[in-house]
């Protein structure tokens, strides 16, 4: 162990709890900046994890980390996202239509490979990265700063004394749980059942690697193509519908898939090749992202419904920005609160862009707008930019997304619905909708 304190504890500049994409990214960047970083991961890589779809805005982050070519070697290229329409057809939102020229592609990855790659890369960058090591307790001093962290691992029990604690523990929300910051998202309650299958048919040509988002009567489903003819398939459902599972997760998942004819058709020659997993309380957030001497990154701060594959991107974006903030705060401790506050304000603003679409995605109005895109004042390209992850410091995108909100609101109100759609689509009308702005 390095840098032992006088009382036998392990002293370090930064302790990162959690060795997933967020933890590995923030650890790598801070080690490169010259800080002594310890990262503790409770599991051992490789380990199964859901959330296999990256966004184009991940690509610059991977390039800055120095792992883009490594990820390319394990990934399936994804050029867009498709959303089925009536009659068995579908619309593809291709990333090369994004407003600001973000990457034209992303990757679908097996998370056990992706996470292990990033963890090992962090170790190569100088992070003291330890697996099978769990944080058992965080003690806070009178000012609310982490004064000591207890951990247990293969070498036994020990204490760490970091200058800064970064919580990247994902759904475990180490600090959020200890300080009772975690709150279920009451605006969008959902749960998920998912697994991997072989032999699922893919889209033709260059669209073979694209994610498909299906709607079903109680939520939505993802089809994510992975390497070796594997397809990740999951159903995100309302908690009430999930109660019908009755302990039979596989049967529940298959019934939900077969409730959508086109999805069932794609599954005709498939076989399951992994366990079926289920998780509840899917969407949540913590009431704050930071405090004296600590930061939350990735899912440890907030997890939104992964409808637009935002999870890994948000985790790695927050980690990269947290690394810049942590570096600045360690160099200028007197400015720590202001630096961390600016980080949260910026991150929350981008996160809210995803939330707005997610909360409304299953409504009839949103279904119609996604099935009938039109690039009025660049609005369609702005939606593609959102799907690509370009929502942070993106004024050309954001003002067009505000126009989209107005279009949605007018349509959802009903009284102006036919007039708005007629104007935008040249006279076509739509069925009456029952959603709200």
């Amino acid at each position: 162990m390095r840098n032992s304190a006088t009382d036998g504890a392990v002293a370090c500049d930064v302790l990162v709890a959690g060795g997933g994409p967020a933890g590995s990214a923030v650890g790598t960047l801070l080690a490169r900046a010259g800080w002594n970083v310890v990262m503790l991961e409770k599991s051992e890589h490789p380990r199964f994890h859901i959330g296999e779809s990256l966004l184009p805005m991940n690509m610059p982050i991977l390039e800055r980390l120095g792992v883009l070519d490594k990820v390319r070697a394990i990934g399936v290229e994804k050029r867009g996202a498709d959303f089925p329409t009536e009659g068995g057809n579908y619309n593809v939102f291709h990333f090369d239509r994004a407003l600001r020229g973000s990457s034209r592609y992303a990757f679908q990855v097996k998370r056990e490979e992706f996470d292990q790659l990033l963890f090992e890369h962090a170790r190569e960058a100088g992070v003291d990265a330890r697996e099978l090591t769990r944080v058992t307790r965080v003690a806070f001093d009178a000012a609310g700063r982490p004064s000591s962290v207890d951990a247990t691992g293969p070498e036994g029990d020990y204490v760490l004394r970091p200058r800064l604690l970064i919580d990247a523990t994902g759904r475990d929300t180490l600090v959020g749980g200890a300080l009772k910051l975690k709150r279920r998202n009451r605006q969008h309650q959902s749960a998920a059942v998912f697994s991997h299958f072989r032999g699922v048919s893919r889209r033709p040509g260059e669209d073979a690697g694209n994610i498909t988002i299906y709607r079903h009567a109680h939520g939505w489903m993802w089809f994510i193509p992975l390497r070796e003819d594997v397809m990740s398939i999951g159903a995100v459902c309302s908690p009430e519908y999930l109660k019908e599972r009755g302990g039979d997760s596989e049967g529940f998942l298959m019934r939900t898939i077969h409730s959508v004819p086109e999805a069932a058709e794609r599954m005709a020659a498939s076989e399951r090749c992994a366990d079926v997993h289920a998780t509840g309380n899917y969407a949540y957030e913590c009431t704050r992202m930071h405090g004296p001497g600590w930061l939350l990154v990735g899912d440890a701060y907030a997890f939104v419904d992964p409808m637009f594959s935002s999870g890994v991107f948000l985790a790695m974006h927050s980690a990269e920005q947290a690394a810049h903030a942590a570096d600045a705060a360690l160099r200028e401790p007197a400015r720590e609160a202001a630096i961390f506050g600016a980080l949260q304000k910026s991150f929350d603003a981008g996160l809210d862009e995803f939330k707005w679409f997610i909360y409304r995605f299953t409504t009839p109005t949103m279904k119609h707008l996604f099935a009938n895109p039109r690039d009025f004042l660049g609005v369609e390209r702005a939606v593609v930019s959102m799907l690509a992850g370009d929502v942070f410091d993106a004024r050309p995108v954001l003002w067009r997304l505000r126009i989209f909100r107005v279009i949605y609101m007018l349509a959802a109100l009903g009284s102006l619905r036919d007039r708005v759609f007629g104007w935008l689509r040249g006279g076509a009308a739509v069925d009456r909708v029952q959603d709200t702005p």
Side-chain angles (χ1 to χ4, degrees):
M1 297 183 186
R2 303 186 306 182
N3 296 342
S4 293
T6 56
D7 60 358
V10 179
C12 58
D13 296 313
V14 181
L15 172 61
V16 179
S24 294
V26 72
T28 296
L29 294 170
L30 286 171
R32 281 188 191 164
W35 301 107
N36 177 5
V37 181
V38 176
M39 178 166 61
L40 307 182
E41 165 56 39
K42 69 175 183 179
S43 302
E44 182 177 27
H45 292 290
R47 78 280 196 277
F48 177 84
H49 206 287
I50 206 66
E52 299 113 329
S53 195
L54 309 185
L55 297 185
M57 292 302 290
N58 271 110
M59 302 303 102
I61 299 174
L62 295 174
E63 189 168 21
R64 289 189 288 271
L65 286 171
V67 296
L68 181 58
D69 288 339
K70 293 180 181 179
V71 175
R72 190 188 310 277
I74 65 168
V76 169
E77 191 167 290
K78 163 188 172 183
R79 292 185 173 271
D82 73 61
F83 300 87
T85 61
E86 301 296 334
N89 297 316
Y90 60 93
N91 280 333
V92 181
F93 287 75
H94 286 108
F95 295 135
D96 61 7
R97 299 246 327 135
L99 272 173
R100 302 204 302 171
S102 62
S103 174
R104 299 161 64 93
Y105 67 93
F107 295 114
Q108 322 276 24
V109 294
K110 292 184 177 180
R111 282 289 301 277
E112 60 267 30
E113 298 174 340
F114 181 71
D115 291 13
Q116 182 173 17
L117 184 158
L118 293 178
F119 189 84
E120 292 175 351
H121 187 74
R123 183 175 281 155
E124 292 167 3
V127 176
D128 182 357
R130 309 176 187 184
E131 296 175 280
L132 296 172
T133 303
R134 180 185 296 271
V135 173
T136 57
R137 176 176 174 268
V138 179
F140 297 87
D141 63 21
R145 301 188 72 85
S147 56
S148 65
V149 177
D150 296 345
T152 185
E155 62 271 52
D157 299 338
Y158 54 94
V159 177
L160 301 101
R161 299 197 187 283
R163 293 177 60 191
L164 176 65
L165 172 61
I166 296 181
D167 182 359
T169 57
R171 296 180 68 85
D172 289 349
T173 56
L174 172 69
V175 174
L179 299 180
K180 302 186 185 307
L181 306 177
K182 187 176 180 180
R183 300 288 185 272
R184 184 173 57 186
N185 188 332
R186 298 188 180 279
Q187 287 185 269
H188 194 80
Q189 299 181 47
S190 55
V193 181
F194 46 88
S195 189
H196 286 174
F197 297 82
R198 284 198 173 91
V200 182
S201 66
R202 304 192 177 201
R203 299 303 194 195
E206 291 188 349
D207 291 331
N210 293 351
I211 183 174
T212 299
I213 303 297
Y214 290 103
R215 294 174 177 86
H216 62 86
H218 305 280
W220 65 278
M221 294 186 295
W222 73 75
F223 275 47
I224 298 176
L226 303 173
R227 289 194 307 117
E228 300 168 341
D229 192 34
V230 173
M231 185 80 73
S232 172
I233 298 177
V236 177
C237 314
S238 68
E240 294 75 17
Y241 176 57
L242 192 68
K243 291 176 183 177
E244 299 179 15
R245 181 172 45 133
D248 179 16
S249 294
E250 180 177 12
F252 177 86
L253 176 59
M254 298 310 297
R255 288 193 300 275
T256 305
I257 294 170
H258 282 272
S259 72
V260 180
E262 190 208 333
E265 183 179 345
R266 293 178 67 180
M267 297 285 290
S270 69
E271 61 177 359
R272 184 168 58 83
C273 58
D275 293 336
V276 178
H277 301 264
T279 181
N281 297 325
Y282 215 41
Y284 61 84
E285 54 196 29
C286 290
T287 55
R288 52 195 171 110
M289 190 181 195
H290 64 93
W294 59 265
L295 275 172
L296 310 181
V297 296
D299 293 354
Y301 174 52
F303 182 81
V304 297
D305 188 308
M307 191 173 291
F308 302 129
S309 304
S310 59
V312 175
F313 165 64
L314 290 173
M316 297 190 73
H317 173 82
S318 69
E320 185 175 39
Q321 298 308 306
H324 297 319
D327 178 66
L330 288 168
R331 298 181 189 280
E332 299 182 74
R335 297 186 57 241
E336 179 187 88
I339 292 168
F340 290 175
L343 168 66
Q344 178 169 345
K345 182 178 179 181
S346 172
F347 184 76
D348 284 350
L351 184 64
D352 286 345
E353 297 301 322
F354 285 108
K355 287 180 179 178
W356 188 90
F357 278 87
I358 288 167
Y359 294 164
R360 294 160 179 83
F361 182 72
T362 56
T363 64
T365 296
M366 193 69 82
K367 179 180 179 180
H368 180 82
L369 292 173
F370 267 65
N372 299 276
R374 181 179 175 186
D375 199 30
F376 170 68
L377 293 178
V379 167
E380 180 194 351
R381 285 175 290 151
V383 172
V384 173
S385 296
M386 180 275 297
L387 294 173
D390 191 10
V391 294
F392 294 96
D393 299 321
R395 289 186 180 181
V397 175
L398 297 182
W399 72 259
R400 289 174 172 88
L401 292 181
R402 296 299 174 272
I403 294 175
F404 183 91
R405 292 191 187 193
V406 172
I407 294 169
Y408 176 92
M409 179 186 68
L410 293 176
L413 284 172
S415 62
L416 296 177
R417 178 205 60 233
D418 292 342
R419 189 182 307 169
V420 171
F421 283 152
W423 174 55
L424 291 177
R425 299 181 59 222
V430 297
D431 294 335
R432 187 163 190 83
V433 298
Q434 296 296 325
D435 44 15
T436 60

